[in-house]
Amino acid sequence: MRITWLTPELPYWPGGSGGSTRQFQLVRELVRRGHDVDVVAPVHPDQREGAGTLAQAGAELFRVDRPASRVGEVLAAVRTRPAVAVRALTMPVAAWQVEVFWTALRAQAERALARRPDAVLVEHDWAARWARDLPAELPKVSGLENLSWDYYARRAAAAEGLQRDLLRIEAQRFRRFDARTLRAFDLLLAMSELDRHILARVSDRPSAVVPNGVDTGALRAAPLPGTPTVLFTGTFGYAPNAEALRWLLTEIWPRIRARVPAAELLVVGRGVPDEIAALAGEGVTLAGFVPEMQPWFDRAQVVLVPMRSGGGTRLKVLDGLASGRPLVSTTMGAMGVDVTDGQDVLLADGADAFADATARVLGDPALAARLGAAGRGLAERVYDWGAIGGRLEELLRGIVARRR
């Protein structure tokens, strides 16, 4: 098959966001299975080095380099298509932002479509409106890494005051937007059975689950260290990760240190806001972006996922499982991943409960080893990218055959 992969978020790895990583791994798996994949994507100024990883994976990239100035980008889009300015009043913010650079990206999409693909996959519901510009006879699939109306509703539930009200409004706008735009697709891909159930409230289009995954061959399960070191990873320009880090530093970490005075916290990932970085006290290392995660997992006795909002399923959970480290997560953090509390992970909600669970694992090497081994086994059986790529291939073949 030849697949045109349209996305507002450049697929690349390592170094990308969770969405970038997921897309890269799925594209690479399709290529490994003998398919041609043409990726149509914007490239941010700080992603130009990462763009080369697609060529290494065997895919072809049809790109538009986004300018450093977002104001300039908007003005250029409005000059080309004046209606873009009007849509800012009616569309969800994220959907309008991708509408702006679709003005430039559409020409690259047409170049890819001229190669006569068997199907097109559009990533993210933010970009669902792009389907209106695709040939009617072409099978269309939407990859829903987040259900945006649910994502904003969950963020609103964790917020207060004016921010809560604005997030609720955006959730309502996205619900109406997705109910309208997802009708154009032959198949909708959800990240979990939970997401698929939530999706059914908004769209009656056929749906299937293609979960997030992890490269269990690239991430080894090293022996647990003897030091009380805990690890939290994320891209902190993503608001739910920043919120989680703030909660960890202000509410959870002081409680952990009170229980385990020698404990050390490693925070790995780009974009920690300055006002949150200022909260890092004794025993906290803010490592920023690192080119390889393995050494940091090797140093960790426990992996933490203190998420309180967001949507979809989190690659940090799957990476943590594959690392062979015990995982302590909120219920929200592990949402959509098929884990069992006390068997594969420890689930804890509330700062005291989270600190208690972390201290418990730090003080019980047998428990840590049992949880780590169970999590690694789950990652290998269910969440390896090889098996997930096979699932996507099967679904794409099916949708192409039905259209024919």
Side-chain angles (χ1 to χ4, degrees), residues 103-374:
T103 303
L105 195 62
R106 182 177 174 180
Q108 295 287 36
E110 290 171 350
R111 286 184 58 218
L113 293 171
R115 304 176 79 167
R116 302 178 62 83
D118 297 287
V120 61
L121 192 149
V122 180
E123 280 290 318
H124 291 294
D125 57 352
W126 329 324
R129 198 171 181 273
W130 294 359
R132 77 195 188 285
D133 293 329
L134 303 177
E137 70 278 4
L138 187 63
K140 303 173 189 67
V141 179
S142 174
L144 299 170
E145 297 184 25
N146 280 312
L147 308 179
S148 290
W149 71 92
D150 186 60
Y151 162 80
Y152 283 108
R154 291 181 185 276
R155 284 196 59 200
E160 298 178 350
L162 178 61
Q163 184 186 33
R164 178 186 58 199
D165 295 338
L166 292 174
L167 288 168
R168 283 177 176 170
I169 291 170
E170 196 66 358
Q172 294 164 1
R173 282 156 59 94
F174 246 120
R175 186 183 181 101
R176 292 191 295 268
F177 177 82
D178 282 7
R180 182 173 67 254
T181 56
L182 293 179
R183 297 171 189 163
F185 293 93
D186 299 275
L187 179 66
L188 308 177
L189 303 180
M191 300 298 103
S192 65
E193 285 294 344
L194 175 61
D195 274 11
R196 189 182 183 195
H197 176 74
I198 296 170
L199 177 59
R201 302 173 191 167
V202 169
S203 176
D204 61 0
R205 301 303 298 152
S207 64
V209 175
V210 177
N212 272 326
V214 61
D215 188 341
T216 57
L219 192 60
R220 70 180 185 273
L224 290 170
T227 54
T229 302
V230 300
L231 173 68
F232 178 46
T233 71
T235 300
F236 296 100
Y238 178 59
N241 283 337
E243 292 167 0
L245 179 57
R246 181 187 293 274
W247 186 49
L248 173 60
L249 293 176
T250 58
E251 300 294 331
I252 299 171
W253 184 241
R255 289 171 165 86
I256 292 175
R257 289 278 290 192
R259 292 159 173 80
V260 186
E264 300 287 330
L265 169 62
L266 308 176
V267 178
V268 177
R270 70 173 86 239
V272 175
D274 291 342
E275 66 274 15
I276 296 180
L279 301 172
E282 188 176 357
V284 178
T285 298
L286 301 179
F289 169 74
V290 299
E292 184 183 359
M293 279 302 305
Q294 185 70 58
W296 297 87
F297 280 118
D298 290 350
R299 291 175 59 183
Q301 182 80 8
V302 184
V303 173
L304 305 183
V305 186
M307 306 298 293
R308 305 177 79 188
S309 67
T313 57
R314 294 170 179 84
L315 292 180
K316 63 169 61 66
V317 172
L318 302 176
D319 287 346
L321 294 173
S323 74
R325 270 67 195 131
L327 201 72
V328 177
S329 175
T330 59
T331 304
M332 172 69 71
M335 184 178 65
V337 182
D338 189 18
V339 293
T340 301
D341 184 22
Q343 177 177 309
D344 313 295
V345 301
L346 294 185
L347 299 180
D349 297 308
D352 277 323
F354 202 98
D356 284 341
T358 304
R360 178 184 168 200
V361 180
L362 289 174
D364 189 338
L367 173 62
R370 177 174 64 79
L371 290 171

